[in-house]
Amino acid sequence: MGIDIYATWRGQTEGERKAQITGFSVVHGRVGYLREAYHGAPYVTKYLVSEAFASETGEAAIPAAVMRSRLPAAVLMSMYREHKVYGTGDPAVVTLDEGSGKRLAKLVENIFAHDVTDESHRELARALDAKSLETAKRLIKADALAPVQKSFVQFVELCERKEKLTGEPCTIVASG
């Protein structure tokens, strides 16, 4: 069992729809598909596209700018989740420049030390400070993320491109 997220947009081709059938891949954000297994919180998708979860239909048109504003916190949540739930994804090995390893080690110490509940995506987002979010923005800009986190970035980038092309936000469909 898991959470499946699909982006849809006006003019989406059959080929684009078929590309979203990935066999439950967690690294296909670039085609407008996100996946999280129900192995433990926080669930990043519940934060990134919360309007779709709040909707009775499981669908919501979400402006790309809204998702972009949530992306740094979503990346940090994903790092936290990979570390806590799966024991992988330790960001301390990532360096952007001299001294960034120490900043990332402090980030790990600050956000990975806490246990969280299923609704933790909201609590964790509120707990992230400006320095942590700036670090995440730098990781995103430098493309210095593990494939799982890159998938969230690629999903938002796709939604940005499609919104620019069509003039309307993508409709995000959440199931699970």
Side-chain angles (χ1 to χ4, degrees), residues 94-139:
V94 178
T95 56
L96 300 173
D97 53 44
E98 194 170 320
S100 66
K102 287 182 181 178
R103 286 191 300 276
L104 288 169
K106 184 69 172 168
L107 174 66
V108 169
E109 182 182 313
N110 286 342
I111 69 170
F112 289 11
H114 307 286
D115 287 323
V116 295
T117 62
D118 183 39
E119 289 296 311
S120 62
H121 53 282
R122 291 184 184 106
E123 296 166 25
L124 187 53
R126 283 191 298 269
L128 294 170
D129 63 21
K131 280 187 173 183
S132 295
L133 294 171
E134 270 309 308
T135 299
K137 288 177 185 177
R138 291 183 64 213
L139 291 169

Side-chain angles (χ1 to χ4, degrees), residues 3-5 36 38 45-47 49-56 58-60 174-176:
I3 300 170
D4 298 299
I5 305 295
E36 286 185 293
Y38 279 124
T45 53
K46 288 183 177 184
Y47 174 74
V49 295
S50 58
E51 294 85 350
F53 287 95
S55 165
E56 289 185 18
E59 297 183 11
S175 65

Side-chain angles (χ1 to χ4, degrees), residues 9-157:
W9 54 89
R10 184 170 40 90
Q12 187 174 16
T13 68
E14 185 63 26
E16 289 169 324
R17 280 194 257 311
K18 285 182 179 178
Q20 292 178 327
I21 301 168
T22 67
F24 308 121
S25 170
V26 296
V27 295
H28 277 78
R30 69 183 177 280
V31 297
Y33 175 75
L34 295 172
R35 169 75 178 186
E36 286 185 293
Y38 279 124
H39 294 150
Y43 296 104
V44 183
T45 53
K46 288 183 177 184
Y47 174 74
L48 184 65
V49 295
S50 58
E51 294 85 350
F53 287 95
S55 165
E56 289 185 18
T57 64
E59 297 183 11
I62 305 173
V66 170
M67 289 186 280
R68 175 60 71 175
S69 72
R70 294 175 182 157
L71 190 57
V75 164
L76 294 176
M77 278 182 218
S78 179
M79 293 169 110
Y80 172 92
R81 185 170 195 269
E82 290 296 307
H83 180 77
K84 280 294 210 182
V85 174
Y86 301 110
T88 63
D90 187 350
V93 299
V94 178
T95 56
L96 300 173
D97 53 44
E98 194 170 320
S100 66
K102 287 182 181 178
R103 286 191 300 276
L104 288 169
K106 184 69 172 168
L107 174 66
V108 169
E109 182 182 313
N110 286 342
I111 69 170
F112 289 11
H114 307 286
D115 287 323
V116 295
T117 62
D118 183 39
E119 289 296 311
S120 62
H121 53 282
R122 291 184 184 106
E123 296 166 25
L124 187 53
R126 283 191 298 269
L128 294 170
D129 63 21
K131 280 187 173 183
S132 295
L133 294 171
E134 270 309 308
T135 299
K137 288 177 185 177
R138 291 183 64 213
L139 291 169
I140 292 165
K141 186 174 182 177
D143 195 29
L145 297 168
V148 172
Q149 287 84 46
K150 281 184 186 181
S151 188
F152 288 100
V153 174
Q154 292 167 341
F155 183 89
V156 171
E157 289 172 345

